Amino acid sequence: MITRFAPSPTGPLHLGHAYSAMLAYDMAMAAGGTFLLRIEDIDQSRARPEWEKQIHDDLSWLGLSWPTPVRRQSDHLPTYTAALDQLWNAGLLFPCYCSRRDIAAAASAPQEGAQMGPDGIIYPGTCKHLPRPSQRPTDCALRLDMAKVAQQISYIEQGQTYIIPARFFTEAIGDVVLARRDMGTSYHLSVVVDDAAQNISHVIRGADLEEATPIHIILQKILNLPTPAYHHHRLIRDQNGKRLAKRDDARAISKYRAEGATPNDIRRMVGLPAV
Ligand code: GLU
């Protein structure tokens, strides 16, 4: 079993991250497998070296260890470009020049009605019929033409097989962005390429990413990559039942540590057995 924790270095790790990382670590160790750390820093406008360093410190303090060198997404941009080229050459992507506002306006036209998918409003198709340039453009977003790739898929979530029909992809997901104009790739594309590059057998992550999982599986299919097993875990919430976010500095692992908590205290707080 190979599991991973894949944080973005855009803020402090909080109790929710600690739970995710320790669960992925514990599951790998229980199976005699390997736990990997991956730094998801394609959003260079938000990633900071000091947050990356803090991630290493916090996880080591929690008692986790992982093989080095750690994969950092910003070191692998050509790999994502190669995957994009593959999809572009297969005619599966189209350029999109819409702003968020354009999409909201087009989707809320009376005859359309805005429908929400995992990435927000389902794309209303505005740029889909523009003439296709011969070269892959880089001055715009690139969207996956979902109608061309929609197919029935199955995957394993916590040991159970789930089947998703082809029409779910066109009706509930739509033409997702695979390359953002400002970063030349996207979370969905990079995570799929990296999980395959690192031979991840089990993706263990928060339930907030469960609705993005069908996107990842369809990408694995069209890029000829293996589909790992998935385990989406419950989210750690504050006393008001609200999901923790990066800006909830009060729950930062480093704060608990500074206040004298031990790693086993953190384990108890998130409902994991002490070690
Ligand atoms: N980098 C993502 C995050 O910090 C997690 C990606 C994943 O686990 O698939 O939310």
Side-chain angles (χ1 to χ4, degrees):
M1 179 185 286
I2 304 182
T3 68
R4 50 51 161 201
F5 177 56
S8 300
T10 55
L13 296 187
H14 55 55
L15 284 183
H17 297 108
Y19 178 56
S20 205
M22 292 189 293
L23 185 64
Y25 181 83
D26 288 2
M27 285 177 73
M29 294 306 115
T34 307
F35 165 82
L36 299 178
L37 171 64
R38 175 166 77 230
I39 300 295
E40 299 213 326
D41 62 346
I42 49 171
D43 189 348
Q44 285 287 307
S45 67
R46 293 174 59 221
R48 298 275 178 276
E50 52 276 27
W51 291 127
E52 187 174 331
K53 182 178 177 305
Q54 185 77 50
I55 289 169
H56 282 78
D57 290 353
D58 287 345
L59 297 179
S60 302
W61 176 74
L62 285 169
L64 313 191
S65 59
W66 51 87
T68 52
V70 166
R71 188 176 174 98
R72 189 192 286 122
Q73 288 189 324
S74 59
D75 295 334
H76 293 273
L77 298 179
T79 321
Y80 313 130
T81 308
L84 270 184
D85 280 333
Q86 189 182 332
L87 299 177
W88 174 263
N89 293 335
L92 302 178
L93 305 179
F94 65 90
C96 175
Y97 294 88
C98 294
S99 66
R100 273 175 208 273
R101 254 170 89 186
D102 296 335
I103 296 171
S108 62
Q111 68 280 17
E112 301 277 354
Q115 269 237 56
M116 300 303 279
D119 285 350
I121 296 173
I122 294 179
Y123 186 62
T126 320
C127 288
K128 200 164 176 171
H129 309 291
L130 294 178
R132 181 187 151 87
S134 53
Q135 293 285 322
R136 176 167 70 76
T138 52
D139 62 340
C140 59
L142 296 173
R143 288 182 180 273
L144 179 63
D145 191 337
M146 197 57 94
K148 289 193 178 154
V149 299
Q151 57 188 279
Q152 177 177 301
I153 58 147
S154 68
Y155 70 103
I156 295 176
E157 168 70 33
Q158 298 186 49
Q160 262 200 301
T161 302
Y162 287 80
I163 295 181
I164 300 192
R167 62 179 169 73
F168 178 84
F169 287 94
T170 44
E171 291 172 8
I173 294 182
D175 304 326
V176 287
V177 169
L178 293 191
R180 282 173 48 173
R181 187 173 59 90
D182 52 344
M183 53 172 87
T185 180
S186 61
Y187 158 62
H188 298 311
L189 184 73
S190 309
V191 83
V192 159
V193 167
D194 285 351
D195 284 337
Q198 296 191 289
N199 293 314
I200 304 299
S201 66
H202 290 73
V203 170
I204 294 152
R205 61 184 177 194
D208 52 329
L209 290 169
E210 195 160 5
E211 60 171 355
T213 303
I215 304 174
H216 300 168
I217 295 168
I218 206 110
L219 283 174
Q220 288 150 6
K221 297 278 175 231
I222 60 182
L223 288 166
N224 276 318
L225 301 174
T227 292
Y230 287 88
H231 179 119
H232 290 93
H233 60 70
R234 69 186 165 80
L235 299 177
I236 304 294
R237 297 178 183 276
D238 66 15
Q239 61 272 43
N240 303 316
K242 209 171 86 5
R243 204 180 112 191
L244 300 183
K246 283 255 165 70
R247 58 188 171 281
D248 290 326
D249 282 16
R251 325 239 155 218
I253 297 168
S254 50
K255 287 247 169 106
Y256 287 104
R257 180 180 175 184
E259 287 164 10
T262 66
N264 270 334
D265 292 334
I266 305 283
R267 282 183 167 269
R268 259 188 301 275
M269 281 185 241
V270 299
L272 282 173
V275 290

